[in-house]
Amino acid sequence: MNVNKTQIMAIATDILKAIDTPGETALRVAQSLTLADVRGVPTHGVGLLPLYCQMAAAGVIKVGAEPQTNAISDSMAWVDGGGTFGQLTGRLAVDLGVGLMQNHGIAAVGIADGTHLGRLGEWAERACDADAAFLAFANTGGGALNVAGADGAHRVLAPNPIAFGIPTCGSLAQHVIVDFATSQVAGSRIREVANAGGRLNPDWVIAQNGSSTDDPQSFLDGLAALRPLGGASAGHKGFGLMVAAEMLSALAGGLMAGERDAPWFSNGALFLLLDIRRFVPREDWGRRVKAFAEYVDKSGYRLPGTGRSSTVEDRLELAEHTVAALLQLAAELSVNSHGLSAPVNSRTVTQSW
């Protein structure tokens, strides 16, 4: 449904304030979630607010905490999220990395206890704005293990995301952003399908008996696992990426699967930044990128991350069940609906593992 973006921002901010989130933090998290919806990634948009409130109530997210930084070397640092909203931690990690990169050409930033870092593509975009090529790996700190191995059906790892950002230096409207789970889809995509009353692509998940299924509830009930990226025919490739993300994220400050029993997840991550101007003048790179984009466009394709938006001026497209979940949450927290309305009795799944 088509909604007013300002209304969504206002209700999201007020929901966060209602669970005792400081005002500036609430606004920043609401902006980040809304940006994900603008970018056409509803799995990481305002539909996460019921889950965030659940995590805060369980003490997983500490709404008043602030991330802390520690230097490792001239070009390496570490950020301890301290259980705060991952949107604060991710932003700080990028800004810290940009400063180190500008002085030394390259930077590595590890993240521990990031709770949910949100859409990694947002941090790639922020790094690219500073002319940094960006690479990120993330894991879940041993929680939310809902992905099977390449030739199995039982859950062993998480959909550890990987993101790349390549700056376009003003030659295109957006940077080239690649951001994906190392499973066929993220668990949050299953949640969205379930909330919409839909069915799954049968190559997304595998049932405990090894058969394919299109039933999202089987996954949500723990009776099926996500397949690794590549699915039934090439899942070994996705599983390899998943293992790499798991281990590199743990190296940088997180925990690995199997090191502890974790009822919830908390992202560990590794962010790498490279100053492209150390290799090529900014203007030259922009010219080459534009020529490459034109070549791809003439071939009938587009570069990843460019041209995606689900907003026109101050309007935004959201699923009816997302709006209904926001209104339900607002009512429970005695938050002003800001004139927003939606069909009632929509299904609301929050967790997706």
Side-chain angles (χ1 to χ4, degrees):
M1 60 184 293
N2 191 264
V3 297
N4 183 285
K5 187 170 67 173
T6 301
Q7 283 181 309
I8 295 297
M9 277 284 302
I11 194 171
T13 302
D14 287 351
I15 284 172
L16 290 163
K17 287 180 179 178
I19 60 170
D20 298 324
T21 306
E24 184 177 346
T25 297
L27 178 60
R28 185 167 293 175
V29 174
Q31 289 172 334
S32 179
L33 296 176
T34 304
L35 178 61
D37 285 312
V38 168
R39 291 286 189 261
V41 189
T43 55
H44 288 65
V46 294
L48 284 173
L49 281 171
L51 175 62
Y52 282 9
C53 290
Q54 191 178 353
M55 293 174 74
V60 181
I61 290 179
K62 299 173 177 61
V63 297
E66 293 285 342
Q68 303 297 317
T69 65
N70 292 281
I72 298 174
S73 71
D74 288 345
S75 60
M76 300 174 68
W78 184 64
V79 178
D80 180 0
T84 191
F85 289 98
Q87 286 78 8
L88 301 186
T89 303
R91 183 187 182 106
L92 177 61
V94 171
D95 291 350
L96 178 61
V98 166
L100 296 174
M101 177 207 73
Q102 288 174 339
N103 288 327
H104 303 285
I106 193 168
V109 180
I111 293 174
D113 199 10
T115 63
H116 186 247
L117 289 170
R119 183 177 64 92
L120 291 185
E122 178 178 354
W123 313 129
E125 291 169 2
R126 189 171 182 85
C128 286
D129 285 343
D131 292 340
F134 178 84
L135 173 59
F137 303 92
N139 71 11
T140 59
L145 304 180
N146 55 19
V147 188
D151 299 310
H154 66 277
R155 299 178 172 202
V156 62
L157 290 178
N160 300 329
I162 295 175
F164 304 85
I166 304 170
T168 58
C169 299
S171 63
L172 303 177
Q174 293 170 298
H175 303 296
V176 175
I177 305 297
V178 180
D179 176 7
F180 59 89
T182 50
S183 51
Q184 283 284 71
V185 293
S188 51
R189 179 70 183 277
I190 309 295
R191 181 194 68 226
E192 287 297 298
V193 173
N195 282 335
R199 309 298 292 183
L200 304 177
N201 180 320
D203 197 35
W204 287 359
V205 300
I206 184 169
Q208 288 178 339
N209 63 6
S211 64
S212 297
T213 177
D214 66 354
D215 180 13
Q217 196 59 46
S218 65
F219 172 80
L220 296 171
D221 290 342
L223 302 177
L226 293 169
R227 290 185 185 271
L229 186 65
S233 63
H236 61 286
K237 297 181 180 180
F239 189 69
L241 288 172
M242 197 180 306
V243 168
E246 184 76 33
M247 298 180 73
L248 288 170
S249 300
L251 175 69
L255 291 170
M256 274 190 285
E259 289 188 315
R260 71 170 185 182
D261 291 329
W264 287 90
F265 67 90
S266 187
N267 291 147
L270 172 63
F271 288 1
L272 302 172
L273 298 89
L274 176 68
D275 188 345
I276 64 156
R277 294 167 296 186
R278 303 293 179 110
F279 282 102
V280 62
R282 187 178 191 274
E283 295 75 15
D284 289 354
W285 179 245
R287 176 182 51 78
R288 292 172 65 188
V289 166
K290 183 177 181 181
F292 179 60
E294 290 172 351
Y295 162 75
V296 173
D297 182 67
K298 289 177 182 177
S299 300
Y301 304 103
R302 65 172 176 82
L303 296 177
T306 61
R308 291 195 63 181
S309 176
S310 63
T311 182
V312 178
E313 295 180 350
D314 198 39
R315 308 299 298 179
L316 178 65
E317 285 294 328
L318 290 180
E320 288 185 356
H321 65 260
T322 298
V323 178
L326 283 181
L327 291 173
Q328 178 183 330
L329 189 58
E332 292 171 358
L333 296 171
S334 300
V335 166
N336 190 323
S337 68
H338 294 273
L340 193 65
S341 62
V344 296
N345 300 323
S346 293
R347 177 177 169 83
T348 305
V349 174
T350 54
Q351 290 185 222
S352 56
W353 64 92

